[in-house]
Amino acid sequence: MTPSALLTRRIPSSVLASLESACAVELYDGPTPIPSDVLKSRLQGKQALISVLTDRITAEVLESATDLKIVANIAVGYDNIDLAAAKARGIIVTNTPDVLTEAVAEFTWALILSAARRLGEAERYVRRGAWKEWKLDFMLGTELRGKQLGIVGRGRIGSAVAAKAPAFGMNVMFATRRAGTGRHERQPDEVSLDELLVSSDVLSIHTPLTPETRHLIDKRALARMKRSAILINTSRGPIVDEAALAWALKERLIAAAALDVFEREPEVLPELFAFENVVLAPHLGSATRETRTAMADLAVANVIAVLGGRPPLTSL
């Protein structure tokens, strides 16, 4: 019998053709994110699920999918999937690491530069016809050279962001990894999170979302940062407490922020719209044609491998 797969979003036609050569494909093309009851219904008889980060793959969903062998998430993160429930049922879960590393790192630097040089504010100023003359002291930003870039999360993306820092004359420090992560000694370029908050001119978030990192950047953390500091988040929205961020911006405890991810995507905390010194992007970190195609291709390759009785290319 030909295996079947549920695809929750459209993918490039060339990648879809590859998937269709290996299994029967059902595409969900309705409202997003896919409702839980619809997901459970569509998964009946399916051996594979190709999902995206906004799909909630709960224990209840997995329990109802009695034929499911693999969940292939088109994302590097996987906090939308109940891994414990999947493991208990023998369901393989895969993600798409590596292929999006450089795209997200490049976009992180786009946000850093936009926030530091007030690009979003300046572009809006020109568009509304407000620019009348050049002034020596008009809309001054901050230079990056000689400043410290603090990175929370020393994974693939955090490391790739750090590798580009010398081009801008910035020195890099990382937050020390917590005990139990395989790191036993503090490296020369590592400090505690508290020290990183106090000393960094730009703080960039690249850690996975876990119970421990949810609201890692809260009121206390923001109050510890420099008043001239810039906060960047291209990781997961709930790592930053948005209400606390709005408070910190209102009190001028930090200079600016740039967010590509939000606590309740696609909803954005309305208070953030009031601040000209906040750059807001609709989760575009991996949004290049090359990268999004590579992500879909890797997810499909994982499905084809598992349905063919082979190990996946990337598993959690």
Side-chain angles (χ1 to χ4, degrees):
M1 181 182 293
T2 303
S4 59
L6 175 64
L7 179 62
T8 67
R9 297 293 188 283
R10 291 187 178 276
I11 58 177
S13 57
S14 59
V15 183
L16 179 59
S18 177
L19 180 64
E20 290 177 329
S21 70
C23 62
V25 180
E26 178 182 342
L27 171 65
Y28 170 77
D29 201 21
T32 60
I34 181 170
S36 179
D37 59 336
V38 176
L39 181 56
K40 288 190 287 185
S41 174
R42 295 290 188 98
L43 278 175
Q44 297 309 303
K46 302 296 192 300
Q47 287 75 47
L49 168 62
I50 301 177
S51 58
V52 296
L53 58 88
T54 54
D55 298 322
R56 305 308 302 176
I57 317 300
T58 63
E60 182 182 358
V61 167
L62 294 169
E63 185 178 354
S64 70
T66 55
D67 297 309
L68 196 61
K69 295 181 179 179
I70 177 174
V71 176
N73 213 35
I74 306 179
V76 67
Y78 44 85
D79 49 275
N80 59 308
I81 302 170
D82 191 325
L83 290 182
K87 184 176 181 180
R89 298 191 63 82
I91 298 171
I92 294 171
V93 178
T94 66
N95 64 341
T96 57
D98 298 320
V99 294
L100 51 65
T101 298
E102 285 303 316
V104 179
E106 287 178 1
F107 193 75
T108 299
W109 277 101
L111 292 182
I112 292 172
L113 290 164
S114 293
R117 296 302 301 271
R118 302 172 64 176
L119 184 58
E121 181 183 356
E123 201 264 355
R124 290 188 294 272
Y125 189 81
V126 172
R127 280 187 180 274
R128 66 174 180 262
W131 187 36
K132 304 301 181 184
E133 61 178 317
W134 185 92
K135 297 179 181 179
L136 188 64
D137 60 350
F138 176 64
M139 207 171 285
L140 302 181
T142 183
E143 293 188 15
L144 298 176
R145 182 166 299 277
K147 306 291 177 56
Q148 177 174 299
L149 171 62
I151 295 180
V152 181
R154 194 170 195 157
R156 297 176 181 88
I157 296 172
S159 296
V161 170
K164 302 180 190 307
F168 299 95
M170 298 191 78
N171 66 293
V172 180
M173 295 297 289
F174 295 88
T176 307
R177 295 193 180 190
R178 299 187 179 198
T181 60
R183 184 72 62 80
H184 301 291
E185 295 181 3
R186 177 182 291 188
Q187 302 301 301
D189 58 356
E190 291 181 340
V191 294
S192 69
L193 176 60
D194 193 61
E195 291 174 286
L196 196 73
L197 292 169
V198 171
S199 61
S200 295
D201 299 288
V202 177
L203 185 75
S204 193
I205 309 299
H206 300 286
T207 188
L209 175 61
T210 67
E212 292 73 29
T213 63
R214 183 176 293 273
H215 283 189
L216 181 70
I217 306 302
D218 56 10
K219 274 191 172 184
R220 181 190 177 281
L222 290 160
R224 296 288 290 161
M225 293 174 65
K226 293 181 177 181
R227 288 182 176 262
S228 58
I230 298 169
L231 175 68
I232 309 291
N233 189 11
T234 57
S235 182
R236 285 292 182 267
I239 294 171
V240 175
D241 181 339
E242 287 181 14
L245 175 59
W247 165 79
L249 290 163
K250 182 179 180 180
E251 298 298 325
R252 299 184 179 181
L253 298 181
I254 63 172
L259 308 175
D260 186 42
V261 289
F262 303 89
E263 284 196 71
R264 301 171 189 85
E265 293 183 18
E267 179 184 339
V268 178
L269 185 72
E271 287 89 332
L272 293 176
F273 293 129
F275 297 104
E276 287 285 1
N277 55 341
V278 176
V279 180
L280 304 170
H283 208 138
L284 296 178
S286 63
T288 68
R289 292 182 181 88
E290 299 89 343
T291 294
R292 290 284 172 87
T293 298
M295 291 168 68
D297 189 58
L298 180 53
V300 166
N302 278 320
V303 167
I304 293 173
V306 171
L307 295 185
R310 302 184 301 277
L313 283 73
T314 57
S315 61
L316 299 170

